[in-house]
Every structure is written in C-alpha cells, then in structure tokens.
Amino acid sequence: MILRRALPLLALPSLALAQGRMRRIAVIVSSAEGDPDALGRAAALREGLRALGWVEGRNIQIEYRWGAGDVARAEAHARELVASAPDLIVSNGTPQLAALQRHNRAIPVVFVVVVDPVGAGFVRSMARPGGHVTGFATYEPELGGKWLDLLREYDTSLRRIAVLGDPEFRGFAGLADHVLARAPRLGLAAENLTFHAPAEPVETRLAAFAQGGGGGMIVLPTALNLLARARLIAAAEAAGMPAIYPFRPFVDSGGLMSYGFEPLDLFRRSAAYVDRILRGENPGDLPVQLPTRFEFFINRRAARALGRDFSDMLLARADEVIE
C-alpha cells in the first residue's frame, strides 16, 4: 500500500482539531499481517483511540505496516513513512524504532513494547525523554530470573537452560544476562542459542541442545520468536523439553507456560499519548511508562505431553489454566 502525502501541517494542533481536520497516523507492527496477536494489538490501539474521541474515517486515518520479524522490512517501512510525513507514528518493537531513529528527525513517535529505551539511546531518560519520541517500555532484567524460577519450579530435575534470542537485539541482552548470572546459583548451566532469521534451522539447534539431557528453554520476546512460535513449540515438544515463553499466544498455540506483561494493555494505554500529542503536547515531556499488568498462563495438555503435570502451587498462581 502506498501512503498518500500528508496534508499541510497547521501551526496549532488544537486549532486543527477545532476545524475538524483529518489527522493521519502510521502504525508499524513488528509481527506479520494476519497474525492474530498482531491484529489484536492493532485493535487494542483503535479501541483506546475511540474511547478518546478518535474515530477512523471521521477525524483520524490509520495506516499500517507489518514487520513480520524482518529487520530489512523495518528499515524500508521507516524510510517510506518518514517520507510520507504522517502526523504521528506508533512504533511497535525495538528494530522498528531503531530504524525510525535513523531516518526520522521531527515526526512524533509513540513506541510500544520496546526494551531498555534509555540504554538503546532512543530517549534521554524515562522521566524526561526529550526530543520527539516517547512511549511504553517493557521488561526489567529481573524478569529473566522470574522465567528461570518458574521453569525450575515446574521441573526440579533441570540441569541446563537454553536462552533463545537474537544477539543483534541488544535490548534483550539484560534479560539473557540475568538468566546467565542467576542460573549457576541454582546449580544450572545456561547458554545462549541464536535465532536471527526465519530460514535458520532453529529446530536442529534445539534438538542438539536437548540431546545433552536435563534441558529447558527460555524464549525471549523477539518478533521472530513470536512469529515462529509454532516451530519453537513443536521443536520443544519433539525434544521433550519444557519451555517458558513471554506472551500468552505461545500458550494458546500449545506452549507449556508463559509469564509476561499484557501487551494489549500497553497498546490501549498508548492511545492516551497519541491523543495528547495530536492535541499539542510535546512527546519529550511525556515520561516513558512501564507495564502495570503481568500474567501467568499454563497449558496442562502440554505438561501432560511432557509427562509432568504442574504442581498445585503453580496451578493456584496461574491467571488461566488451559486444560
């Protein structure tokens, strides 16, 4: 789809609203078009905007780009959208925001689901981002330890942990590092496994790791891991290896368990920043926010396939149990 050129910007956004000018925003989603998780995120944003009076076709136009876990595609989308000059860009995912940072010098950006925006250089600080970028960050490094604890609580016989991610996404380094540092204190060996491109034989790597026995897997929240969740779940099951995932869609797709923030909540909340910026506020004055809702889902069908059910304590702590 080719974006239309933006209408000339008015000097005062509040005056533009009063005159009923159609506002145009672009949304870059890290997942693939048609993926149920990606569609849910886009719908949550629209829901939040409608609650604030922004109705598609009446006073706002929303145009989407779907990343499908492809870094090159993120770069192309960034160039295209900046050239088309929308009023605002909503950017989902660290690679998408990194690409926008390289090409965008003025268009306001609200990011959603981005790891360590200060460390990555996207904003100056969480409290005062500065510039034209703000949004909703995710994942403190300590969450990596939480995943490790839950996986070990499920299977106390674990001896080894694989951390599956993409080393080029440096925002996830803190999560992996926390697992690698905590694992030895629990008597576990841990190692990073790389999954960078869809064509890579990740199943072969997981099978080779599982051959050592006593293995479990922590799947980091990269866009590619989410996109390839069916492959990862099938590989873990074939290897008889327990795994913990960052989002509910993994569990809905047959994965063992997930713990993490509720991404749809962040997308709904991001609508408030879109609203405030379109009404004239400076993105750099709006503090970066963190998740407030975390969820734990477990799949007893997957557990039984591994020959080990969840403990009563884990069952009691789950937000939802898939029987």
CSV table of all heavy atoms in Angstrom, one decimal, residues 238-283:
chain,number,residue,atom,x,y,z
A,238,ALA,N,9.0,-32.0,20.6
A,238,ALA,CA,9.7,-33.2,20.0
A,238,ALA,C,10.9,-33.6,20.8
A,238,ALA,O,11.3,-34.8,20.9
A,238,ALA,CB,10.1,-32.8,18.5
A,239,ALA,N,11.5,-32.6,21.4
A,239,ALA,CA,12.7,-32.8,22.2
A,239,ALA,C,12.4,-33.2,23.7
A,239,ALA,O,13.3,-33.6,24.4
A,239,ALA,CB,13.6,-31.6,22.2
A,240,GLY,N,11.1,-33.2,24.0
A,240,GLY,CA,10.7,-33.5,25.4
A,240,GLY,C,11.2,-32.5,26.4
A,240,GLY,O,11.6,-32.8,27.5
A,241,MET,N,11.3,-31.2,25.9
A,241,MET,CA,12.0,-30.2,26.7
A,241,MET,C,11.0,-29.1,27.2
A,241,MET,O,10.3,-28.5,26.4
A,241,MET,CB,13.1,-29.5,25.8
A,241,MET,CG,13.9,-28.5,26.6
A,241,MET,SD,15.4,-28.1,25.6
A,241,MET,CE,14.7,-27.4,24.1
A,242,PRO,N,10.9,-28.8,28.5
A,242,PRO,CA,10.0,-27.8,29.0
A,242,PRO,C,10.5,-26.4,28.6
A,242,PRO,O,11.7,-26.2,28.5
A,242,PRO,CB,10.0,-28.0,30.5
A,242,PRO,CG,11.3,-28.6,30.8
A,242,PRO,CD,11.6,-29.5,29.6
A,243,ALA,N,9.6,-25.5,28.3
A,243,ALA,CA,9.9,-24.2,27.9
A,243,ALA,C,9.0,-23.1,28.5
A,243,ALA,O,7.8,-23.4,28.7
A,243,ALA,CB,9.9,-24.1,26.3
A,244,ILE,N,9.5,-22.0,28.7
A,244,ILE,CA,8.6,-20.8,29.1
A,244,ILE,C,8.8,-19.7,28.1
A,244,ILE,O,9.8,-19.5,27.6
A,244,ILE,CB,9.0,-20.4,30.6
A,244,ILE,CG1,8.0,-19.3,31.0
A,244,ILE,CG2,10.4,-19.8,30.6
A,244,ILE,CD1,8.0,-19.0,32.5
A,245,TYR,N,7.6,-19.1,27.8
A,245,TYR,CA,7.5,-18.1,26.8
A,245,TYR,C,7.1,-16.7,27.4
A,245,TYR,O,6.5,-16.7,28.5
A,245,TYR,CB,6.5,-18.6,25.7
A,245,TYR,CG,6.8,-19.9,25.2
A,245,TYR,CD1,6.3,-21.1,25.7
A,245,TYR,CD2,7.7,-20.1,24.1
A,245,TYR,CE1,6.6,-22.4,25.3
A,245,TYR,CE2,8.0,-21.4,23.6
A,245,TYR,CZ,7.4,-22.5,24.2
A,245,TYR,OH,7.7,-23.7,23.7
A,246,PRO,N,7.2,-15.7,26.6
A,246,PRO,CA,6.9,-14.3,27.1
A,246,PRO,C,5.5,-13.9,27.0
A,246,PRO,O,5.1,-12.9,27.7
A,246,PRO,CB,7.9,-13.4,26.4
A,246,PRO,CG,8.0,-14.1,25.0
A,246,PRO,CD,8.0,-15.6,25.3
A,247,PHE,N,4.7,-14.5,26.1
A,247,PHE,CA,3.4,-14.0,25.8
A,247,PHE,C,2.4,-15.1,25.8
A,247,PHE,O,2.7,-16.3,25.5
A,247,PHE,CB,3.3,-13.3,24.4
A,247,PHE,CG,4.2,-12.1,24.3
A,247,PHE,CD1,5.1,-12.1,23.3
A,247,PHE,CD2,4.2,-11.0,25.2
A,247,PHE,CE1,6.0,-11.0,23.1
A,247,PHE,CE2,5.0,-10.0,25.0
A,247,PHE,CZ,5.9,-9.9,24.0
A,248,ARG,N,1.1,-14.8,26.1
A,248,ARG,CA,0.0,-15.7,26.0
A,248,ARG,C,-0.1,-16.5,24.7
A,248,ARG,O,-0.5,-17.7,24.7
A,248,ARG,CB,-1.3,-15.1,26.4
A,248,ARG,CG,-2.5,-16.0,26.3
A,248,ARG,CD,-3.7,-15.5,26.8
A,248,ARG,NE,-4.8,-16.5,26.6
A,248,ARG,CZ,-5.9,-16.6,27.3
A,248,ARG,NH1,-6.1,-15.6,28.2
A,248,ARG,NH2,-6.8,-17.5,27.1
A,249,PRO,N,0.0,-15.8,23.5
A,249,PRO,CA,-0.2,-16.5,22.3
A,249,PRO,C,0.6,-17.8,22.1
A,249,PRO,O,0.2,-18.7,21.4
A,249,PRO,CB,0.2,-15.5,21.2
A,249,PRO,CG,-0.1,-14.2,21.8
A,249,PRO,CD,0.2,-14.3,23.3
A,250,PHE,N,1.8,-17.8,22.8
A,250,PHE,CA,2.6,-19.1,22.8
A,250,PHE,C,1.8,-20.2,23.4
A,250,PHE,O,1.8,-21.4,23.0
A,250,PHE,CB,3.9,-18.9,23.5
A,250,PHE,CG,4.9,-18.1,22.7
A,250,PHE,CD1,5.0,-16.7,22.9
A,250,PHE,CD2,5.8,-18.7,21.8
A,250,PHE,CE1,5.9,-15.9,22.2
A,250,PHE,CE2,6.7,-17.9,21.1
A,250,PHE,CZ,6.8,-16.5,21.3
A,251,VAL,N,1.2,-19.9,24.6
A,251,VAL,CA,0.4,-20.9,25.3
A,251,VAL,C,-0.8,-21.3,24.5
A,251,VAL,O,-1.2,-22.5,24.5
A,251,VAL,CB,0.1,-20.5,26.7
A,251,VAL,CG1,-0.7,-21.5,27.5
A,251,VAL,CG2,1.4,-20.2,27.5
A,252,ASP,N,-1.5,-20.3,24.0
A,252,ASP,CA,-2.7,-20.6,23.1
A,252,ASP,C,-2.3,-21.5,22.0
A,252,ASP,O,-3.2,-22.3,21.4
A,252,ASP,CB,-3.3,-19.3,22.6
A,252,ASP,CG,-4.0,-18.5,23.7
A,252,ASP,OD1,-4.4,-19.2,24.8
A,252,ASP,OD2,-4.1,-17.3,23.6
A,253,SER,N,-1.1,-21.4,21.5
A,253,SER,CA,-0.6,-22.2,20.4
A,253,SER,C,-0.1,-23.6,20.8
A,253,SER,O,0.4,-24.3,19.9
A,253,SER,CB,0.5,-21.5,19.6
A,253,SER,OG,-0.1,-20.2,19.1
A,254,GLY,N,-0.1,-23.9,22.1
A,254,GLY,CA,0.3,-25.2,22.5
A,254,GLY,C,1.6,-25.2,23.4
A,254,GLY,O,2.0,-26.3,23.8
A,255,GLY,N,2.1,-24.0,23.7
A,255,GLY,CA,3.3,-23.9,24.5
A,255,GLY,C,3.0,-24.3,26.0
A,255,GLY,O,1.8,-24.2,26.4
A,256,LEU,N,4.0,-24.6,26.8
A,256,LEU,CA,3.8,-25.1,28.1
A,256,LEU,C,3.3,-24.0,29.1
A,256,LEU,O,2.3,-24.1,29.8
A,256,LEU,CB,5.2,-25.6,28.6
A,256,LEU,CG,5.2,-26.1,30.1
A,256,LEU,CD1,4.3,-27.4,30.2
A,256,LEU,CD2,6.6,-26.5,30.5
A,257,MET,N,4.0,-22.8,29.1
A,257,MET,CA,3.6,-21.7,30.0
A,257,MET,C,4.2,-20.4,29.6
A,257,MET,O,5.2,-20.4,28.8
A,257,MET,CB,4.0,-22.0,31.5
A,257,MET,CG,5.5,-22.3,31.7
A,257,MET,SD,5.8,-22.7,33.4
A,257,MET,CE,7.5,-23.3,33.3
A,258,SER,N,3.6,-19.3,30.0
A,258,SER,CA,4.1,-18.0,29.7
A,258,SER,C,4.0,-17.1,30.9
A,258,SER,O,3.0,-17.3,31.7
A,258,SER,CB,3.4,-17.4,28.5
A,258,SER,OG,2.0,-17.1,28.8
A,259,TYR,N,4.9,-16.2,31.0
A,259,TYR,CA,4.8,-15.1,32.0
A,259,TYR,C,5.3,-13.8,31.4
A,259,TYR,O,6.4,-13.8,30.9
A,259,TYR,CB,5.6,-15.5,33.3
A,259,TYR,CG,5.5,-14.4,34.3
A,259,TYR,CD1,4.4,-14.4,35.2
A,259,TYR,CD2,6.4,-13.4,34.5
A,259,TYR,CE1,4.2,-13.4,36.2
A,259,TYR,CE2,6.3,-12.4,35.4
A,259,TYR,CZ,5.2,-12.4,36.3
A,259,TYR,OH,5.1,-11.4,37.2
A,260,GLY,N,4.5,-12.8,31.5
A,260,GLY,CA,5.0,-11.5,31.0
A,260,GLY,C,3.9,-10.5,31.1
A,260,GLY,O,2.8,-10.7,31.6
A,261,PHE,N,4.2,-9.3,30.6
A,261,PHE,CA,3.3,-8.2,30.6
A,261,PHE,C,2.1,-8.4,29.6
A,261,PHE,O,2.3,-9.3,28.8
A,261,PHE,CB,4.0,-6.9,30.3
A,261,PHE,CG,4.4,-6.8,28.8
A,261,PHE,CD1,3.6,-6.2,27.9
A,261,PHE,CD2,5.7,-7.2,28.5
A,261,PHE,CE1,4.0,-6.1,26.6
A,261,PHE,CE2,6.1,-7.1,27.1
A,261,PHE,CZ,5.2,-6.6,26.2
A,262,GLU,N,1.1,-7.7,29.8
A,262,GLU,CA,-0.1,-7.9,28.9
A,262,GLU,C,0.0,-6.8,27.8
A,262,GLU,O,-0.2,-5.7,28.0
A,262,GLU,CB,-1.4,-7.6,29.8
A,262,GLU,CG,-2.6,-8.4,29.3
A,262,GLU,CD,-3.2,-7.8,28.0
A,262,GLU,OE1,-2.7,-7.9,26.9
A,262,GLU,OE2,-4.2,-7.1,28.2
A,263,PRO,N,0.5,-7.3,26.6
A,263,PRO,CA,0.8,-6.3,25.5
A,263,PRO,C,-0.4,-5.5,25.1
A,263,PRO,O,-0.3,-4.3,24.7
A,263,PRO,CB,1.3,-7.1,24.4
A,263,PRO,CG,0.9,-8.5,24.7
A,263,PRO,CD,0.8,-8.6,26.2
A,264,LEU,N,-1.6,-6.1,25.1
A,264,LEU,CA,-2.8,-5.4,24.6
A,264,LEU,C,-3.1,-4.2,25.5
A,264,LEU,O,-3.6,-3.1,25.1
A,264,LEU,CB,-4.0,-6.3,24.6
A,264,LEU,CG,-3.9,-7.5,23.6
A,264,LEU,CD1,-5.3,-8.2,23.5
A,264,LEU,CD2,-3.4,-7.1,22.3
A,265,ASP,N,-2.8,-4.3,26.8
A,265,ASP,CA,-3.0,-3.2,27.8
A,265,ASP,C,-2.1,-2.1,27.4
A,265,ASP,O,-2.5,-0.9,27.4
A,265,ASP,CB,-2.7,-3.7,29.2
A,265,ASP,CG,-2.8,-2.6,30.2
A,265,ASP,OD1,-3.9,-2.0,30.3
A,265,ASP,OD2,-1.8,-2.3,30.9
A,266,LEU,N,-0.8,-2.3,27.0
A,266,LEU,CA,0.1,-1.3,26.6
A,266,LEU,C,-0.4,-0.6,25.4
A,266,LEU,O,-0.3,0.7,25.2
A,266,LEU,CB,1.5,-1.8,26.4
A,266,LEU,CG,2.3,-2.3,27.6
A,266,LEU,CD1,3.7,-2.6,27.3
A,266,LEU,CD2,2.2,-1.2,28.7
A,267,PHE,N,-0.9,-1.3,24.4
A,267,PHE,CA,-1.4,-0.7,23.2
A,267,PHE,C,-2.7,0.2,23.5
A,267,PHE,O,-2.8,1.3,22.9
A,267,PHE,CB,-1.8,-1.8,22.1
A,267,PHE,CG,-0.6,-2.2,21.3
A,267,PHE,CD1,0.3,-3.1,21.8
A,267,PHE,CD2,-0.4,-1.6,20.1
A,267,PHE,CE1,1.4,-3.4,21.0
A,267,PHE,CE2,0.7,-1.9,19.3
A,267,PHE,CZ,1.6,-2.9,19.8
A,268,ARG,N,-3.5,-0.2,24.4
A,268,ARG,CA,-4.7,0.6,24.7
A,268,ARG,C,-4.2,1.9,25.4
A,268,ARG,O,-4.6,3.0,25.1
A,268,ARG,CB,-5.6,-0.1,25.7
A,268,ARG,CG,-6.4,-1.3,25.0
A,268,ARG,CD,-7.4,-1.8,26.0
A,268,ARG,NE,-7.9,-3.1,25.5
A,268,ARG,CZ,-7.4,-4.3,25.9
A,268,ARG,NH1,-6.5,-4.3,26.8
A,268,ARG,NH2,-7.9,-5.4,25.4
A,269,ARG,N,-3.2,1.7,26.3
A,269,ARG,CA,-2.7,2.9,27.0
A,269,ARG,C,-1.9,3.8,26.1
A,269,ARG,O,-1.9,5.1,26.3
A,269,ARG,CB,-1.7,2.4,28.2
A,269,ARG,CG,-2.5,1.8,29.3
A,269,ARG,CD,-1.5,1.0,30.3
A,269,ARG,NE,-0.5,1.9,30.8
A,269,ARG,CZ,0.6,1.5,31.4
A,269,ARG,NH1,0.8,0.2,31.5
A,269,ARG,NH2,1.5,2.4,31.9
A,270,SER,N,-1.3,3.3,25.1
A,270,SER,CA,-0.6,4.2,24.2
A,270,SER,C,-1.5,5.2,23.5
A,270,SER,O,-1.0,6.3,23.0
A,270,SER,CB,0.2,3.4,23.1
A,270,SER,OG,-0.7,2.8,22.2
A,271,ALA,N,-2.8,4.9,23.3
A,271,ALA,CA,-3.7,5.8,22.7
A,271,ALA,C,-3.8,7.1,23.4
A,271,ALA,O,-4.0,8.2,22.8
A,271,ALA,CB,-5.1,5.2,22.6
A,272,ALA,N,-3.6,7.1,24.7
A,272,ALA,CA,-3.6,8.4,25.5
A,272,ALA,C,-2.5,9.3,25.1
A,272,ALA,O,-2.6,10.5,25.0
A,272,ALA,CB,-3.5,8.1,27.0
A,273,TYR,N,-1.3,8.7,24.8
A,273,TYR,CA,-0.2,9.5,24.4
A,273,TYR,C,-0.4,10.0,22.9
A,273,TYR,O,0.0,11.2,22.6
A,273,TYR,CB,1.1,8.7,24.5
A,273,TYR,CG,1.8,8.9,25.8
A,273,TYR,CD1,1.2,9.5,26.9
A,273,TYR,CD2,3.1,8.4,26.0
A,273,TYR,CE1,1.8,9.6,28.1
A,273,TYR,CE2,3.7,8.5,27.2
A,273,TYR,CZ,3.1,9.1,28.3
A,273,TYR,OH,3.7,9.2,29.5
A,274,VAL,N,-1.0,9.2,22.1
A,274,VAL,CA,-1.3,9.7,20.7
A,274,VAL,C,-2.3,10.8,20.8
A,274,VAL,O,-2.1,11.9,20.2
A,274,VAL,CB,-1.9,8.5,19.9
A,274,VAL,CG1,-2.4,9.0,18.6
A,274,VAL,CG2,-1.0,7.4,19.7
A,275,ASP,N,-3.3,10.7,21.7
A,275,ASP,CA,-4.2,11.8,21.8
A,275,ASP,C,-3.6,13.1,22.3
A,275,ASP,O,-3.8,14.2,21.8
A,275,ASP,CB,-5.3,11.3,22.8
A,275,ASP,CG,-6.3,12.4,23.2
A,275,ASP,OD1,-7.0,12.9,22.3
A,275,ASP,OD2,-6.3,12.9,24.4
A,276,ARG,N,-2.7,13.0,23.3
A,276,ARG,CA,-2.1,14.2,23.9
A,276,ARG,C,-1.2,14.9,22.9
A,276,ARG,O,-1.1,16.1,22.9
A,276,ARG,CB,-1.4,13.8,25.2
A,276,ARG,CG,-2.3,13.4,26.3
A,276,ARG,CD,-1.6,12.8,27.5
A,276,ARG,NE,-0.8,13.8,28.2
A,276,ARG,CZ,-0.2,13.6,29.3
A,276,ARG,NH1,-0.2,12.4,29.9
A,276,ARG,NH2,0.6,14.5,29.9
A,277,ILE,N,-0.5,14.1,22.2
A,277,ILE,CA,0.5,14.7,21.2
A,277,ILE,C,-0.3,15.3,20.0
A,277,ILE,O,0.0,16.4,19.6
A,277,ILE,CB,1.5,13.6,20.7
A,277,ILE,CG1,2.4,13.1,21.8
A,277,ILE,CG2,2.3,14.1,19.5
A,277,ILE,CD1,3.2,11.9,21.5
A,278,LEU,N,-1.3,14.7,19.5
A,278,LEU,CA,-2.1,15.3,18.5
A,278,LEU,C,-2.8,16.5,18.9
A,278,LEU,O,-3.1,17.4,18.1
A,278,LEU,CB,-3.2,14.3,18.0
A,278,LEU,CG,-2.6,13.1,17.2
A,278,LEU,CD1,-3.8,12.2,16.7
A,278,LEU,CD2,-1.8,13.5,16.0
A,279,ARG,N,-3.1,16.7,20.2
A,279,ARG,CA,-3.7,17.9,20.8
A,279,ARG,C,-2.6,18.9,21.2
A,279,ARG,O,-3.0,20.0,21.7
A,279,ARG,CB,-4.5,17.5,22.0
A,279,ARG,CG,-5.8,16.7,21.6
A,279,ARG,CD,-6.6,16.3,22.8
A,279,ARG,NE,-7.7,15.4,22.4
A,279,ARG,CZ,-8.8,15.7,21.9
A,279,ARG,NH1,-9.1,17.0,21.7
A,279,ARG,NH2,-9.7,14.8,21.6
A,280,GLY,N,-1.4,18.7,20.9
A,280,GLY,CA,-0.4,19.7,21.0
A,280,GLY,C,0.7,19.5,22.0
A,280,GLY,O,1.6,20.3,22.1
A,281,GLU,N,0.7,18.4,22.8
A,281,GLU,CA,1.7,18.3,23.8
A,281,GLU,C,3.0,17.8,23.2
A,281,GLU,O,3.0,17.1,22.1
A,281,GLU,CB,1.3,17.3,24.9
A,281,GLU,CG,0.2,17.8,25.8
A,281,GLU,CD,-0.1,17.0,27.0
A,281,GLU,OE1,0.9,16.7,27.7
A,281,GLU,OE2,-1.2,16.6,27.3
A,282,ASN,N,4.1,18.0,23.8
A,282,ASN,CA,5.5,17.7,23.3
A,282,ASN,C,5.8,16.3,23.8
A,282,ASN,O,5.8,15.9,25.0
A,282,ASN,CB,6.5,18.7,23.9
A,282,ASN,CG,7.9,18.4,23.4
A,282,ASN,OD1,8.1,17.4,22.6
A,282,ASN,ND2,8.8,19.2,23.8
A,283,PRO,N,6.1,15.3,22.9
A,283,PRO,CA,6.5,14.0,23.2
A,283,PRO,C,7.6,13.9,24.3
A,283,PRO,O,7.6,13.0,25.2
A,283,PRO,CB,6.9,13.3,21.9
A,283,PRO,CG,6.2,14.1,20.9
A,283,PRO,CD,6.2,15.5,21.4
